[in-house]
Amino acid sequence: MKTFIAAVALSPWIAYRLLSLLASEDAAWQFVSASLWVGTPILVVAAALRAYGEGLKRGARGSQPSATDRPAFQSTQLGQLN
């Protein structure tokens, strides 16, 4: 996942560099900036929908703890609460 995020973050810079080889730097910058205005909201909506889906899956699982969930207190701390 970190590789994907890094690739998405670097893709405008890579696109700018490649387009500047074929066209002028101003034209390349205009294209990349226009693409960012369209692409960024789409990425935000996709991330929100993915997080919503993960939340639905976690809610459907019920109150059973998963392997990654830890108890709020360790057994050695329970005596100190009284």
Side-chain angles (χ1 to χ4, degrees), residues 1 46-62:
M1 189 64 172
L49 289 174
R50 181 176 178 182
Y52 180 73
E54 288 177 2
L56 287 177
K57 287 179 187 175
R58 188 174 186 127
R61 190 176 65 205

Side-chain angles (χ1 to χ4, degrees), residues 37-49:
W37 278 105
V38 174
T40 302
I42 292 171
L43 288 174
V44 169
V45 168
L49 289 174

Side-chain angles (χ1 to χ4, degrees), residues 12-82:
W13 181 78
I14 293 168
Y16 171 72
R17 288 294 174 197
L18 291 176
L19 286 172
S20 65
L21 296 174
L22 300 174
S24 68
E25 290 186 5
D26 291 335
W29 177 250
Q30 288 177 352
F31 178 80
V32 170
S33 63
S35 298
L36 285 174
W37 278 105
V38 174
T40 302
I42 292 171
L43 288 174
V44 169
V45 168
L49 289 174
R50 181 176 178 182
Y52 180 73
E54 288 177 2
L56 287 177
K57 287 179 187 175
R58 188 174 186 127
R61 190 176 65 205
S63 62
Q64 298 172 351
S66 69
T68 59
D69 292 338
R70 295 186 299 167
F73 299 103
Q74 293 179 358
S75 61
T76 57
Q77 295 174 325
L78 291 176
Q80 298 174 0
L81 294 176
N82 294 334

